[in-house]
Amino acid sequence: MSIDRLRATEVMYLKGVGPKRGEMLSKQLGIKTLYDLLYHFPTHYVDRSRFYTINSFHSEMPAVQVKGRFVTFTVHGEGAKMRLVGLFSDGTGTMEVVWFRRIKWMRETYKVGEEYVVFGKPAEFSGRWSMVHPEIDTPQSVQASAGLRGVYPLTEQLRNRGINSRTIFSMVQTLLQGYGRTIEDPLPRDMRMRLRLMDKASALEAIHNPRDVSQMQEARRRLKFEELFYLQLNILNYSRKRAAKMGGYRFSRVGELFNRFYFDFLPFPLTGAQKRVIKEIHADMKTGRQMNRLLQGDVGSGKTLVALMCMLLALGNETQACLMAPTEILATQHFETISKMVAPLGINVKLLTGSTPKKQRDVIHSQLLDGSLHILIGTHAVIEDNVQFARLGFVVIDEQHRFGVAQRARMWKKSAVPPHVLVMTATPIPRTLAMTVYGDLDVSIIDELPPGRKPVVTVLRYEDKRLQVYQSMAAQLRAGRQVYVVYPLIKENEKVDMKSLEEGYRQICETFRHFRVAYVHGKMKPAEKDYQMNLFASHQADILVATTVIEVGVNVPNATTMVIENAERFGLSQLHQLRGRVGRGEGQSYCVLMSKAAIARETRKRLEIMTTTTDGFVVAEADLKMRGPGDIEGTIQSGMPIDLKIASLASDGDLLQAARNEAEHLLESDPYLDSSASLPIVKEMRQLFDKAVDWSMIS
Ligand code: ADP
Ligand code: MG
């Protein structure tokens, strides 16, 4: 039976399943076909290689197995409270085996005096040991599955209907005995040898019924690898196809503008990392193919300057450039910084946002079309269809995660030749994840901060230290510094959050009566928001009470303190983004994570990471490890193309890299994936990605 047949055969046709159970498996676990059953893997394993004795039981014990005989069966209680108790003895002691469901069936199945192996977690009630609904086998059947035993994901409903982990195990065993050995391996032998991978049939067998821990790990490794390999191959294959299709501008020159800026007007020497990424980007824009590149750099690493210099490259090659920011404030800030920096070069730079007056808008439109406007900076207003360029060569998208994928794609259409695209983000996505989530985007990383930055001192403070926190805030304020106070505002909890935000605002106003307080949250009208933000940015306010709307990009170097309320409710990456708002000037900056005293140990550990490092990549890795990839805030907007069944992007970084290498290797030797050796691979990949997202939407 080939994998195809397993995919095409409904699970009810497996011996011992039938239509009724088949439907339950399908409804409760999504197991529709034999293939689904085969790929329903245990979530963990229990050790069935040794027997325990009842006299050695203790309360911390995991599930264990005991060999012995039932002495008596008695029914207690009535109706809903009815339970069956079997007294079980192994010669060293006795325990009660208790059933609340399927009492009749149990009573008929198990016999007094016969030998059974009972497997469950011992519990102690008033000096008596008991097990509730344990798994029960005959010694012979236990022998068949000695060693590690998989524990399968189940639902309560299935348990009530008598389908337990053991039942699933038997079904899988029936399946494997019937067809296991005939499962072909799509991965070529040399690849398997290189990576020391088990063959597929053995891996599927071993993952369900491993001999020991190391065999189980090898099986999992093999199956994880295969999954990650298809994922990588699919992404790479797609991006190659697109690269072959999409010609782009060839920026062969550096140009005079770039050189004049670099030699005469650079406000400070570039960091090594800035130089390197500018080179990488230029090399990519020279190839004649359209560039799609992600520029990652921690907050404050100087991405704006890199973007500007690349825009000058574009201008030097007779094209226009455009920079898009997610908010009006950010766009305005970029416009001001960039206009100032290029003032001596005689470049025409304009700002376009939702609030640009019609008259100015018209000027912008016509200058874009006649080519006299060189750099356009704006919000998503620049995406609108009536914004057309004469020759748009380069687009920079700042803080990408606020932009939808589809919006990005629209920028391509603004030019007959698609412009090069640089997406900048301060969310430090670990490389393994970036490589997968951003698919075909190439990645450049600024891994160095400009010299002389003082790391933000971060502390964790519990509620009982609030007074001291306010005192340090006051000290900063009196020294002429500004302070952020940030509250969580989360959709699911909006009403309550809104209240604590308002409450907090009142408290701050009262406590700091001699200082001016601005107030901003996402529910405000944009105009009001901007007004409040500007009060703070122009130092007409000393304190800004806000929600995470300030997370992205705001630059107020005089703000040296950030207090984050209910810090335990933020993700690490988000805390890091927030913290990036301070430490932008000369003064020593502080970040205070406020939390209620009673938090779980895990949560405290998470927050303590923030106090020990200011490195965004370390924070992101920790975030990924502790909370899984689904939670890196706002980053993986487009999500994954498929649900991974067994591999984890969080913990299988090395395998992911290996899969990437193998996928590249294969595409080098077989660019069209049309050799006979590649056929089975392509087939499997197609199967997996059939229902998946269309990657062509992702720029
Ligand atoms: P981000 O990467 O967070 O967007 P910015 O581009 O806003 O960072 O830069 C942060 C600050 O660092 C700005 O004030 C900028 O002028 C400054 N900066 C950028 N590059 C350098 C450099 N090479 N040396 C010193 N300061 C720099
Ligand atoms: Mg920035």
Side-chain angles (χ1 to χ4, degrees):
M1 170 109 49
S2 67
I3 282 272
D4 283 346
R5 288 280 300 286
L6 293 177
R7 280 203 174 92
T9 310
E10 282 179 56
V11 70
M12 68 167 180
Y13 295 113
L14 186 71
K15 201 173 135 224
V17 178
K20 240 191 178 155
R21 287 175 145 197
E23 197 182 314
M24 279 201 294
L25 288 175
S26 161
K27 273 212 181 112
Q28 298 286 315
L29 298 174
I31 299 176
K32 297 190 169 64
T33 65
L34 293 182
Y35 178 90
D36 295 336
L37 179 62
L38 194 58
Y39 271 79
H40 188 67
F41 297 142
T43 45
H44 57 282
Y45 298 82
V46 289
D47 187 358
R48 300 291 298 255
S49 59
R50 60 172 289 201
F51 291 93
Y52 288 77
T53 54
I54 295 176
N55 68 355
S56 72
F57 279 6
H58 56 86
S59 52
E60 315 281 82
M61 229 164 201
V64 294
Q65 62 182 355
V66 185
K67 200 189 287 186
R69 292 165 210 277
F70 284 107
V71 186
T72 57
F73 285 102
T74 23
V75 174
H76 297 258
E78 271 176 45
K81 290 212 174 111
M82 191 152 79
R83 64 183 197 276
L84 174 67
V85 177
L87 194 64
F88 190 83
S89 164
D90 73 342
T92 75
T94 57
M95 68 169 175
E96 292 183 349
V97 174
V98 186
W99 292 276
F100 297 98
R101 301 181 299 265
R102 309 183 81 227
I103 288 175
K104 187 159 166 276
W105 189 85
M106 299 294 174
R107 185 66 199 89
E108 283 162 6
T109 309
Y110 300 119
K111 308 267 179 308
V112 168
E114 263 174 42
E115 197 175 40
Y116 294 106
V117 174
V118 174
F119 175 80
K121 186 171 165 43
E124 194 179 9
F125 290 107
S126 43
R128 262 187 173 290
W129 288 106
S130 63
M131 281 186 191
V132 178
H133 280 262
E135 280 182 31
I136 301 183
D137 298 291
T138 60
Q140 299 85 296
S141 71
V142 167
Q143 202 121 55
S145 61
L148 290 187
R149 172 76 76 74
V151 177
Y152 290 89
L154 282 170
T155 65
E156 196 51 38
Q157 288 229 24
L158 285 173
R159 279 203 197 90
N160 288 340
R161 305 280 194 86
I163 294 184
N164 56 28
S165 197
R166 178 83 197 141
T167 326
I168 306 269
F169 176 79
S170 316
M171 290 176 184
V172 175
Q173 290 309 307
T174 310
L175 177 59
L176 282 168
Q177 274 148 27
Y179 315 108
R181 280 284 123 204
T182 65
I183 292 171
E184 309 97 1
D185 200 331
L187 302 184
R189 215 181 127 74
D190 60 317
M191 185 191 292
R192 290 198 326 254
M193 301 293 276
R194 223 176 3 255
L195 295 159
R196 295 172 203 282
L197 294 174
M198 243 181 205
D199 69 86
K200 187 165 185 163
S202 307
L204 284 167
E205 226 163 78
I207 197 169
H208 288 289
N209 195 11
R211 198 173 49 231
D212 51 30
V213 174
S214 84
Q215 200 198 24
M216 178 266 285
Q217 284 169 339
E218 280 309 307
R220 295 184 72 84
R221 183 168 159 271
R222 148 72 209 223
L223 294 166
K224 283 177 179 186
F225 173 84
E226 191 177 344
E227 193 169 51
L228 294 170
F229 174 68
Y230 296 136
L231 186 66
Q232 291 301 333
L233 187 64
N234 189 56
I235 293 163
L236 284 175
N237 186 35
Y238 164 71
S239 78
R240 291 205 169 197
K241 270 196 204 148
R242 208 188 63 189
K245 269 202 311 248
M246 287 274 235
Y249 288 106
R250 189 185 296 274
F251 289 172
S252 44
R253 272 178 299 159
V254 171
E256 208 212 323
L257 278 174
F258 182 98
N259 281 331
R260 272 184 62 207
F261 182 76
Y262 184 73
F263 291 112
D264 300 337
F265 302 113
L266 205 57
F268 19 64
L270 296 176
T271 63
Q274 283 172 321
K275 277 190 203 160
R276 176 173 47 74
V277 300
I278 291 172
K279 274 193 198 135
E280 282 171 13
I281 294 166
H282 189 212
D284 204 0
M285 297 196 297
K286 272 201 287 216
T287 61
R289 269 178 286 124
Q290 186 236 2
M291 174 181 83
N292 281 289
R293 188 167 279 272
L294 180 71
L295 177 61
Q296 283 185 1
D298 212 343
V299 278
S301 61
K303 294 186 291 295
T304 317
L305 188 56
V306 169
L308 170 62
M309 296 192 66
C310 295
M311 289 198 271
L312 295 178
L313 287 172
L315 268 50
N317 287 273
E318 269 86 52
T319 65
Q320 296 159 298
C322 176
L323 189 159
M324 247 194 313
T327 65
E328 179 138 4
I329 294 176
L330 267 181
T332 310
Q333 268 186 4
H334 277 316
F335 174 71
E336 282 164 4
T337 327
I338 288 176
S339 305
K340 227 181 274 161
M341 280 200 274
V342 300
L345 298 176
I347 295 172
N348 185 4
V349 185
K350 291 232 151 61
L351 176 69
L352 179 67
T353 70
S355 49
T356 307
K358 166 114 181 35
K359 236 169 142 185
Q360 243 164 291
R361 207 175 267 261
D362 290 343
V363 174
I364 289 174
H365 288 171
S366 69
Q367 289 191 346
L368 280 176
L369 276 177
D370 68 25
S372 60
L373 180 49
H374 306 112
I375 296 180
L376 180 67
I377 295 173
T379 56
H380 48 265
V382 305
I383 296 183
E384 276 157 32
D385 288 333
N386 55 5
V387 180
Q388 290 294 331
F389 295 74
R391 231 170 106 81
L392 177 62
F394 181 49
V395 175
V396 183
I397 301 174
D398 192 16
E399 307 294 356
Q400 164 276 340
H401 60 268
R402 299 284 162 112
F403 274 105
V405 159
Q407 286 174 312
R408 262 183 279 156
R410 277 175 73 181
M411 288 309 289
W412 293 356
K413 305 210 179 100
K414 298 207 171 286
S415 170
V417 179
H420 298 300
V421 177
L422 184 70
V423 172
M424 303 200 293
T425 177
T427 309
I429 312 132
R431 191 167 204 122
T432 49
L433 194 58
M435 180 161 106
T436 308
V437 175
Y438 292 107
D440 61 328
L441 290 191
D442 295 304
V443 182
S444 285
I445 298 177
I446 307 184
D447 51 5
E448 180 186 354
L449 291 181
R453 289 282 168 80
K454 293 195 188 98
V456 179
V457 173
T458 305
V459 293
L460 174 59
R461 289 286 178 264
Y462 298 113
E463 200 49 51
D464 59 337
K465 290 276 166 23
R466 181 167 291 277
L467 213 59
Q468 282 98 314
V469 170
Y470 280 172
Q471 280 162 3
S472 348
M473 275 170 66
Q476 290 287 313
L477 291 165
R478 278 195 301 270
R481 302 299 190 185
Q482 289 162 277
V483 175
Y484 293 102
V485 181
V486 185
Y487 282 83
L489 182 63
I490 296 163
K491 256 218 181 78
E492 290 77 61
N493 202 23
E494 207 167 76
K495 274 212 182 108
V496 181
D497 282 353
M498 208 53 212
K499 239 174 109 182
S500 64
L501 174 70
E502 282 159 8
E503 182 63 32
Y505 173 61
R506 266 200 301 277
Q507 197 181 349
I508 293 286
C509 290
E510 254 165 53
T511 315
F512 298 94
R513 238 171 261 173
H514 304 294
F515 296 96
R516 300 154 298 177
V517 186
Y519 178 53
V520 54
H521 57 79
K523 303 253 109 189
M524 281 176 173
K525 295 220 170 72
E528 172 69 4
K529 213 158 60 182
D530 283 355
Y531 174 77
Q532 294 284 337
M533 289 288 254
N534 277 325
L535 283 182
F536 190 69
S538 57
H539 205 169
Q540 296 171 66
D542 306 290
I543 304 175
L544 180 66
V545 176
T547 57
T548 49
V549 288
I550 60 156
E551 186 186 332
V552 168
V554 186
N555 192 25
V556 183
N558 189 48
T560 50
T561 303
M562 168 165 292
V563 177
I564 303 177
E565 298 285 350
N566 292 115
E568 75 277 2
R569 290 181 48 204
F570 291 93
L572 282 185
S573 294
Q574 209 178 7
L575 288 174
H576 183 71
Q577 289 296 305
L578 285 167
R579 180 169 62 181
R581 298 309 110 212
V582 293
R584 312 196 128 228
E586 264 128 57
Q588 175 63 56
S589 286
Y590 305 90
C591 176
V592 184
L593 307 175
M594 291 296 296
S595 149
K596 56 181 198 250
I599 48 173
R601 233 184 86 214
E602 284 292 296
T603 314
R604 202 184 69 224
K605 263 172 62 191
R606 204 155 56 81
L607 291 176
E608 277 168 357
I609 289 172
M610 293 299 296
T611 65
T612 56
T613 184
T614 50
D615 183 329
F617 280 88
V618 175
V619 171
E621 293 277 1
D623 200 12
L624 193 59
K625 283 220 177 75
M626 303 188 90
R627 313 205 313 158
D631 285 316
I632 284 204
E633 298 286 347
T635 305
I636 310 170
Q637 202 178 45
S638 47
M640 290 287 300
I642 52 167
D643 287 332
L644 294 174
K645 270 202 157 52
I646 178 165
S648 145
L649 294 177
S651 52
D652 296 322
D654 291 348
L655 263 187
L656 186 63
Q657 185 63 55
R660 177 82 164 192
N661 297 344
E662 287 299 328
E664 276 171 1
H665 182 77
L666 177 64
L667 280 170
E668 260 157 45
S669 60
D670 184 11
Y672 300 100
L673 295 178
D674 55 1
S675 75
S676 62
S678 300
L679 274 182
I681 292 176
V682 171
K683 230 168 97 182
E684 275 298 297
M685 186 171 78
R686 292 254 162 81
Q687 282 286 352
L688 285 177
F689 288 88
D690 237 8
K691 291 157 264 163
V693 181
D694 179 6
W695 279 98
S696 65
M697 285 301 293
I698 295 176
S699 65

